[in-house]
């Protein structure tokens, strides 16, 4: 029977690539999204993947959303915590709203989502929890104290939860993408990308969303049961740990 996978932020960018790759690999996929109804409906029409709208920064919304997904598709066995936002500014100008919005969505959502599925995974003795962190959670980034703090927290979350569940057939891993060719990166002025960003990448190019999706498929596989607590960097050599 096909395993059920839920991808947060799963209808656009990296999340969309992950959702499509999981479906192509035979998973039953649910793609969560926050607010872009037009993009979600287009994604659903093009892929046939079920879409579900809720705010991952809300614990109650996550509880209701997961309950609906499991009623529709079955118990969630693979959770991909991909949803994330940015509110970039230098820290001395950062507002409380800019801080809390990013922390609650990019880090708080890992608790909100994973808490809904962990007991079922423990009972069934199987689970794959994969969180999309960032190169900037590893090395920091000017103007992203909030984002870097949240993404670094994702890595700590991964390591501790992996320890707690390693005996129960549940793996918990993180992926740290570098600069990936998504709408967010495409919004950066072309001259800035060509002069300041790409020269820092030894591979001399942006990554593609499908390359992150392939990393997710690797970690989600039944055969990846001995890989847990790991951080997989996918950044073209830009930052090595």
């Amino acid at each position: 029977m096909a395993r059920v996978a839920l991808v947060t932020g799963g209808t656009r960018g990296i999340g969309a690539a992950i959702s499509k790759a999981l479906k192509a690999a035979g998973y039953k996929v649910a793609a969560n999204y926050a607010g872009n109804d037009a993009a979600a409906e287009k994604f659903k029409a093009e892929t046939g993947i079920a879409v579900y709208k809720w705010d991952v920064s809300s614990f109650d919304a996550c509880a209701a959303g997961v309950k609906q997904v499991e009623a529709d598709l079955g118990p969630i066995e693979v959770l991909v915590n991909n949803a994330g936002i940015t509110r970039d500014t230098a820290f001395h100008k950062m507002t409380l709203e800019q801080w809390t919005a990013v922390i609650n969505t990019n880090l708080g959502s890992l608790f909100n989502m994973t808490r809904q599925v962990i007991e079922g995974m423990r009972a069934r003795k199987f689970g794959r929890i994969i969180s999309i962190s960032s190169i900037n959670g590893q090395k920091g980034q000017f103007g992203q104290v909030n984002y870097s703090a949240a993404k670094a927290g994702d890595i700590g979350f991964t390591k501790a939860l992996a320890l707690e569940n390693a005996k129960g057939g549940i793996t918990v891993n993180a992926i740290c993408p570098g600069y990936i060719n998504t709408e967010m990166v495409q919004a950066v002025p072309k001259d800035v990308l060509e002069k300041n960003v790409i020269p820092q990448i030894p591979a001399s190019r942006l990554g593609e969303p499908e390359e992150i999706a392939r990393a997710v498929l690797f970690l989600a596989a039944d055969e990846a049961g001995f890989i847990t607590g790991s951080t997989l960097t996918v950044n073209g050599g830009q930052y090595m740990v």
Side-chain angles (χ1 to χ4, degrees):
M1 183 178 293
R3 295 199 182 279
V4 176
L6 171 59
V7 183
T8 67
T11 63
R12 299 169 63 196
I14 290 173
I18 293 169
S19 295
K20 289 188 282 189
L22 285 166
K23 183 184 179 184
Y27 293 81
K28 290 194 290 186
V29 181
N32 152 270
Y33 72 102
N36 193 326
D37 294 320
E41 288 304 315
K42 181 181 179 184
F43 174 82
K44 180 181 179 180
E46 291 175 349
T47 65
I49 293 172
V51 299
Y52 297 84
K53 182 179 181 179
W54 74 81
D55 178 3
V56 294
S57 72
S58 165
F59 182 85
D60 290 341
C62 291
V66 167
K67 184 177 180 180
Q68 186 61 57
V69 170
E70 293 199 324
D72 293 346
L73 302 180
I76 294 166
E77 297 168 294
V78 177
L79 172 64
V80 183
N81 291 308
N82 169 73
I85 62 172
T86 56
R87 298 288 186 271
D88 295 353
T89 190
F91 184 75
H92 65 277
K93 298 178 181 179
M94 188 174 292
T95 65
L96 178 61
E97 187 281 329
Q98 289 171 319
W99 171 263
T100 56
V102 170
I103 295 296
N104 291 346
T105 297
N106 296 11
L107 176 57
S109 65
L110 271 63
F111 174 83
N112 296 340
M113 288 299 305
T114 309
R115 187 64 184 83
Q116 314 305 328
V117 302
I118 192 67
E119 290 187 58
M121 289 179 174
R122 287 169 65 91
R124 294 185 299 272
K125 301 292 185 183
F126 181 88
R128 297 286 184 264
I129 299 164
I130 303 161
S131 297
I132 309 301
S133 179
S134 170
I135 186 176
N136 293 339
Q138 296 175 301
K139 71 176 186 61
Q141 178 62 39
F142 186 96
Q144 286 195 329
V145 170
N146 49 5
Y147 186 84
S148 295
K151 291 300 187 179
D154 293 349
I155 297 171
F157 175 98
T158 293
K159 292 178 178 180
L161 191 64
L163 288 173
E164 291 185 9
N165 291 279
K167 290 182 180 179
I170 300 166
T171 67
V172 190
N173 294 289
I175 296 172
C176 287
Y179 285 88
I180 306 300
N181 189 24
T182 62
E183 288 180 26
M184 185 170 67
V185 172
Q186 289 167 1
V188 176
K190 185 177 180 181
D191 63 321
V192 174
L193 280 175
E194 292 179 349
K195 294 178 181 178
N196 300 331
V197 175
I198 292 176
Q200 298 177 29
I201 304 171
S204 298
R205 65 174 178 86
L206 300 174
E208 295 298 330
E210 292 75 16
E211 293 177 298
I212 307 303
R214 283 194 286 274
V216 171
L217 285 180
F218 169 67
L219 294 173
D222 285 21
E223 296 83 359
F226 204 56
I227 305 169
T228 194
S230 294
T231 302
L232 179 58
T233 60
V234 188
N235 61 33
Q238 183 177 355
Y239 186 74
M240 302 182 188
V241 291

